């Protein structure tokens, strides 16, 4: 993504600082949109899976109450056990999906935020270097900075 942003910046190297900065911002918005493309879906899965597990639990509870047979009737223990297992399995499956998806959603959300900040920083450095406000060797490590000053 950073290479795409740099390519747009280098296409506008002969433009004014404002034009170059505006083109970099537009390219940055496209890059951010691309990075966030699937995060919404992952967040939706993370937030809906516990509710789906709860729905399955309710279905299991309905089966449990259906197993009681009503007043004056004997209850079927196998049907009761089946209802309990349906309730517990659905709760477990809801949590098995929800917990990892929430962990990954938060991890990737933070990762995208870090990448966006880094891309913004590098784009600003590109503008400053192209328009002569900062030397190229300014951000380099000392051993490489001395090599560029010798030329």
């Amino acid at each position: 993504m950073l290479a795409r942003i740099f390519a747009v910046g280098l296409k506008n190297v002969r433009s004014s600082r404002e034009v170059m900065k505006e083109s970099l911002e537009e390219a940055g918005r496209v890059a951010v949109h691309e990075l966030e493309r699937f995060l919404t879906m992952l967040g939706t899965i993370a937030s809906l899976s516990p509710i789906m597990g709860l729905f399955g639990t309710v279905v299991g509870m309905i089966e449990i109450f259906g197993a009681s047979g009503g007043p004056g009737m004997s209850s079927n223990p196998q049907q009761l056990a089946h209802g309990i297992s349906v309730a517990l399995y659905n709760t477990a499956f809801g949590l098995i999906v929800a917990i990892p998806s929430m962990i990954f959603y938060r991890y990737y959300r933070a990762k995208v935020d870090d990448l966006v900040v880094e891309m913004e920083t590098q784009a600003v450095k590109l503008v400053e270097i192209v328009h002569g406000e900062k030397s190229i060797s300014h951000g380099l490590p000392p051993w490489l900075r001395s090599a560029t000053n010798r030329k």
Side-chain angles (χ1 to χ4, degrees), residues 56-130:
T57 304
V58 169
V59 169
M61 297 301 286
I62 290 170
E63 286 191 29
I64 291 170
F65 290 125
S68 67
M73 299 180 72
S74 64
S75 60
N76 183 352
Q78 287 178 335
Q79 192 176 4
L80 181 67
H82 176 71
I84 292 171
S85 69
V86 167
L88 293 176
Y89 279 129
N90 284 304
T91 303
F93 287 139
L95 293 175
I96 286 172
V97 172
I99 293 169
S101 59
M102 182 57 80
I103 290 169
F104 286 118
Y105 172 75
R106 289 187 178 185
Y107 171 78
Y108 286 121
R109 174 87 258 156
K111 188 75 167 169
V112 166
D113 290 343
D114 290 345
L115 288 171
V116 168
V117 169
E118 182 63 26
M119 287 189 301
E120 288 173 352
T121 304
Q122 295 302 324
V124 168
K125 284 182 183 178
L126 177 67
V127 171
E128 291 172 349
I129 289 170
V130 165

Side-chain angles (χ1 to χ4, degrees), residues 6 15 17 25 29 31 40 44 46 51-52 54 56-57 67 71 74 80 103 108-110 123 129 131 138 149:
F6 275 8
S15 303
R17 176 176 167 67
E25 287 174 359
R29 280 193 292 274
T40 305
T44 302
I51 296 169
M52 295 304 291
L54 179 63
T57 304
S74 64
L80 181 67
I103 290 169
Y108 286 121
R109 174 87 258 156
I129 289 170
H131 289 286
H138 179 72
N149 289 337

Side-chain angles (χ1 to χ4, degrees), residues 2-16 19-25 27-28 123 126-127 130-131:
L2 185 58
R4 291 181 190 173
I5 293 171
F6 275 8
V8 168
L10 293 174
K11 282 182 184 177
N12 293 299
V13 76
R14 288 185 171 53
S15 303
S16 69
V19 170
M20 185 177 186
K21 193 172 179 182
E22 185 177 320
S23 66
L24 286 169
E25 287 174 359
L126 177 67
V127 171
V130 165
H131 289 286

